[in-house]
Amino acid sequence: MPEPGTLPDAHGHFGPYGGMFVPETLMSALEDLAREYEKAKGDPAFQNELSIFLHDFAGRPTPLYLAERLTQKLGGAKIYLKREDLLHTGAHKINNALGQILLATRMGKRRIIAETGAGQHGVATATVAARFGCECVIYMGKIDMKRQALNVARMKFLGAKVVPVTAGQATLKEAINEAMRDWVTNVRTTHYILGSVLGSHPYPMMVRDFQRVIGAEARRQILEREERLPDLLVACVGGGSNAIGLFHPFLQDRPVRLIGVEAGGEGIRSGKHAARFQCGRLGVLQGTKTFLLANEDGQIELTHSVSAGLDYAAVGPEHSYLRDLGRVEYTYATDDEALAAFRTLSETEGIIPALETAHAIAHVIKIAPSLAADQIIVVNCSGRGDKDVDTAAAAFGFKNNPES
């Protein structure tokens, strides 16, 4: 099997995963995008422009923060947070959105579409579209719009049209379906800024490359702070962009353990979860072959997570390959564990995390006490929790009882 970090191949395959499973009408657009991206990747002017926007507009580099009080509370390994929550728009999603808007303008496409679940990718896309003067349409499941009302308002303030999707479960999968239908219809004028390491080639590779800045910075920063690499990296995994962004620059560093944390929802036995690696199967969904939640007839199963950004039936194809290789370990955290972690990080460090991030923190809370004090964990704080305050307040009873 090819080494991790060397893929995908020319057709977008990570071993048996990935590929291009799309309507014929999109093949030409995807091939054009792949060619344009290959040119941009080797173009110093493009890379310099992206670096300037990441620094001046998004706020990179983000700090690597020693969570001293959380470390003391847990009584084990030293815990660092990679503070992607401090970026403009509040999450790692801006890294990819900036890269793709620059590609879109190179291709002369001035109409931008996107899907969003938690709303952070939608906000990032609306933000870059506003900055570059592009028309912007965001597709979002009606259920997600209700639980992420703050981000819906932010997108509208930024000039985007937010289209509610009512089909099926009315969450992220259905939003992607609608965005793809739009793209098929308007492919000549429109660029689809896909938000995660999902979909048809070249998106899993391209989004990964735009998110690698997370791990590249973290690697430099931990070497400066500790003069060695960490023992463990932890990140939540929905589609998987924040995790692959952190993990990828460390793939060749075999002593560094890598752990991705999926959404365990109400528990694996309940069937109300989004833990693809716990009980998923190989299949094709929305352009790519990967692990997904489906029944024996191949019908996509319903998913559940308290976190809108992890509530999706498939995982990025590179994650499936890394799991086969044993290079990345995948586990899960339940809704209750994530909510407890949300509160713990808020109260110990003064950092309110996104509920997506809270899944990663939940796993750190489980394992840090069992590790030696001289070991080091880096966890990706992929987003801030402003968008999740209503959900968490309802879960903790704050809404109806402010004194609780």
Side-chain angles (χ1 to χ4, degrees), residues 251-327:
L251 289 178
Q252 307 304 326
D253 301 304
R254 294 287 177 171
V256 181
R257 286 178 65 198
L258 312 175
I259 299 181
V261 186
E262 297 185 284
E266 295 179 11
I268 302 303
R269 289 185 179 179
S270 74
K272 296 181 179 179
H273 62 81
R276 290 68 46 101
F277 289 131
Q278 299 302 314
C279 48
R281 63 182 68 219
L282 183 61
V284 174
L285 180 63
Q286 296 173 328
T288 195
K289 182 188 289 186
T290 188
F291 265 84
L292 50 83
L293 293 173
N295 64 24
E296 292 181 358
D297 296 322
Q299 297 301 306
I300 304 303
E301 294 183 336
L302 299 180
T303 57
H304 165 78
S305 174
V306 70
S307 161
L310 304 185
D311 194 357
Y312 183 65
V315 67
E318 188 166 10
H319 283 288
S320 293
Y321 186 66
L322 293 171
R323 184 225 189 206
D324 281 4
L325 291 180
R327 183 63 190 96

Side-chain angles (χ1 to χ4, degrees), residues 38-84:
E38 284 302 317
K39 291 178 189 175
K41 196 157 57 169
D43 182 354
F46 176 88
Q47 296 299 333
N48 184 59
E49 186 177 17
L50 177 57
S51 294
I52 290 170
F53 273 105
L54 287 171
H55 182 274
D56 294 351
F57 187 70
R60 302 209 73 90
T62 59
L64 188 67
Y65 169 74
L66 176 59
E68 290 186 73
R69 293 197 67 236
L70 183 62
T71 297
Q72 292 167 3
K73 178 180 178 67
L74 298 179
K78 188 182 291 188
I79 301 164
Y80 283 90
L81 306 180
K82 181 58 174 161
R83 296 292 309 277
E84 296 299 288

Side-chain angles (χ1 to χ4, degrees), residues 198-279:
L198 292 164
S200 174
H201 179 68
Y203 283 105
M205 170 186 69
M206 188 170 66
V207 178
R208 175 201 71 194
D209 290 351
F210 288 140
Q211 294 293 359
R212 284 187 80 259
V213 65
I214 302 170
E217 283 181 8
R219 201 174 191 282
R220 289 194 302 269
Q221 290 166 327
I222 199 67
L223 287 171
E224 289 171 2
R225 293 285 294 274
E226 297 285 348
E227 298 184 340
R228 71 178 185 88
L229 294 177
D231 299 281
L232 178 62
L233 303 180
V234 183
C236 65
V237 178
S241 64
N242 93 90
I244 208 70
L246 178 64
F247 296 164
H248 199 263
F250 292 86
L251 289 178
Q252 307 304 326
D253 301 304
R254 294 287 177 171
V256 181
R257 286 178 65 198
L258 312 175
I259 299 181
V261 186
E262 297 185 284
E266 295 179 11
I268 302 303
R269 289 185 179 179
S270 74
K272 296 181 179 179
H273 62 81
R276 290 68 46 101
F277 289 131
Q278 299 302 314
C279 48

Side-chain angles (χ1 to χ4, degrees), residues 136-153:
C136 185
V137 179
I138 307 293
Y139 291 92
M140 191 172 190
K142 192 172 183 179
I143 297 298
D144 289 338
M145 289 182 71
K146 184 176 180 180
R147 58 181 169 175
Q148 301 293 336
L150 172 62
N151 276 343
V152 173

